[in-house]
Amino acid sequence: MAVPITESPAVGARLLITTFVTTLIFHSSVADIAVGASTTEEAPHRRFEYKYSFKGPHLSQSDGGIPFWIHTGNAIPSADQVRITPSLRSQRGSVWTKNKVNFEHWEAEVTFRVSGRGRMGADGLAVWFTSTQGLEGPVYGAADQWNGIGVFFDSFDNDGKKNNPAILVVGNNGNLVYDHQNDGSTQALGTCLRDFRNKPYPVRAKITYYKRTLTVLINNGFTPDKEDYEFCTKVDNMVIPSDGFFGISAATGGLADDHDVLSFLLFRLTEPGQQPPPVESEIPKEEKDKYQEEFQNFQQELDKKKEEFQKEHPDVQGEPIDDLYESVNDREIRQVFEGQNRIHLEIKQLNRQLAMILDEQRRYVSVITDEVAKKGANTESGQLDSAGQQLGSIVATQQEVLKSLNELKSSFHESLRQIGSVQNQGNQAAMGTYETMQHFSDIKEHLHTVKRDVEHLVQRNAQNPADKVLKCPELPPMPSCLSTVHFAIFVVVQSVLFFCYVMYKSQQEAAAKKFF
């Protein structure tokens, strides 16, 4: 019996070791197979197409247009972005490429912001690839019955199913009418629920059409990482027109949002086995030489102007020209700190007013306390009339008011300290817009609380019986508009006139009696 007991642990150990080695070999073989399968499918070659793209800075030209693009409706191009629709009701706008795109495979990266004050927004934004330019229409500001593909960022819940904001992929052959009532859910080829409104960072969408497969990836805008994409939807065996126009449109309804597009970048995709088309083959040699000569002339003129400017302004040499202009982030930070300064000044003014009220209340308490002391000295011991009890209640009420005012004053000091700390942090290092908005929300809630407390104190003071005891002095009567001298002159003149009238009447009566 001793032999099996001593050999059983050894046998178990051998079995465990054998199983562990077999498992390692199996997993390594599976990993090698997976790596081999992944390496067999190489990524396509990407080439940036600037004639079908736009991004800041200097996005718009001096005439307000976008190079190689057209804008219609309520779209407003600027140096850093294109506002497709402003946050006003019933607005429509769109931007479209001027030239057709004839790529077999492509990838589009769209960076945008959808921001609004309300909890819900409307209507949404759309990215198009269609055979014709749908400049205006009822589908997110573009034409209905399109021939191509549309990726919709729908922010309003029309069907009431609480499935918005959502991203939909809807295809059309030119005969389909978009189903607005159901938010296109009956026509969507792919969809995903993503909240893209009011994000701290811009939202990014990567739309890829490669080998008849459309893939949509989304960066929700929670982090500054531009490559933090997550899968949204995928549509296989999708046939779209061989050539068409890219466009971006947006619309608002009863609710309104700002739909801003910061950039649209288009890449041509080429399969690994194929040779990408050379850039030189797209531009004729004569035209290329002409552009090269114009560029060299412009570069020479620019160098001459730089030298002249440096000679005329030697004190600004070495300073970058970009520092002379204010970027979008700098402007937002400046506006944030200006708002903080205004709030800081308002709180200081409220603090001064509160200190004045506190001093007045203290004076009232001292006056009433003196009255109570005098009343107690005049009355007999152990007997207090109703007036003394009333004054005692007034004193208690005023003490409560003083206590509340002291608490409010301390809360004001706390608010001032918070704003001061925020401003110090902002002066030391530029803060993000999202954290600053959080500080604004906290300060706003604190101010609302202080406002409610002050209104409550005002109501209590209005109902305070001390108003019956202490009244403000009445204004002296206004002086009469008619003085004594004027009144005497008026009486004398009136008497003279009356005496003259009586004499005249008596003369008339005496003259009339002579004829009888």
Side-chain angles (χ1 to χ4, degrees), residues 339-355 408-420 439-440 442-444 446-448 450:
Q340 284 185 344
N341 290 329
R342 287 195 296 268
I343 292 175
H344 190 259
L345 293 176
E346 291 291 337
I347 292 179
K348 280 187 175 179
Q349 185 177 0
L350 289 174
N351 192 12
R352 288 194 296 268
Q353 294 178 357
L354 188 60
L408 286 176
K409 190 173 183 180
S410 63
S411 64
F412 271 118
H413 285 298
E414 182 67 21
S415 299
L416 290 173
R417 188 186 62 78
Q418 290 180 0
I419 294 178
H439 283 288
F440 268 132
D442 297 339
I443 294 171
K444 187 176 180 181
H446 196 69
L447 288 176
H448 281 301
V450 171

Side-chain angles (χ1 to χ4, degrees), residues 262-274:
L262 281 69
S263 65
F264 181 89
L265 307 179
L266 185 65
F267 299 88
R268 175 187 290 189
L269 302 181
T270 307
E271 296 184 15
Q274 298 180 358

Side-chain angles (χ1 to χ4, degrees), residues 202-248:
V203 179
R204 301 176 185 273
K206 182 181 290 186
I207 306 169
T208 306
Y209 182 74
Y210 184 66
K211 294 183 179 180
R212 293 190 176 184
T213 300
L214 186 77
T215 307
V216 179
L217 304 178
I218 295 296
N219 184 338
N220 281 329
F222 286 111
T223 61
D225 187 6
K226 298 181 180 180
E227 300 300 327
D228 187 15
Y229 287 99
E230 60 182 16
F231 178 77
C232 175
T233 185
K234 182 178 180 181
V235 182
D236 296 325
N237 299 323
M238 188 170 190
V239 180
I240 62 175
S242 58
D243 55 1
F245 298 89
F246 279 98
I248 306 173

Side-chain angles (χ1 to χ4, degrees), residues 384-436:
L384 290 175
D385 55 356
S386 59
Q389 296 177 356
Q390 187 176 9
L391 288 175
S393 63
I394 291 171
V395 171
T397 304
Q398 292 296 329
Q399 289 178 353
E400 292 180 0
V401 170
L402 283 175
K403 183 178 179 182
S404 301
L405 288 174
N406 287 322
E407 293 178 355
L408 286 176
K409 190 173 183 180
S410 63
S411 64
F412 271 118
H413 285 298
E414 182 67 21
S415 299
L416 290 173
R417 188 186 62 78
Q418 290 180 0
I419 294 178
S421 63
V422 171
Q423 289 180 343
N424 291 331
Q425 291 176 4
N427 292 329
Q428 293 174 1
M431 293 178 57
T433 307
Y434 180 72
E435 291 79 2
T436 308

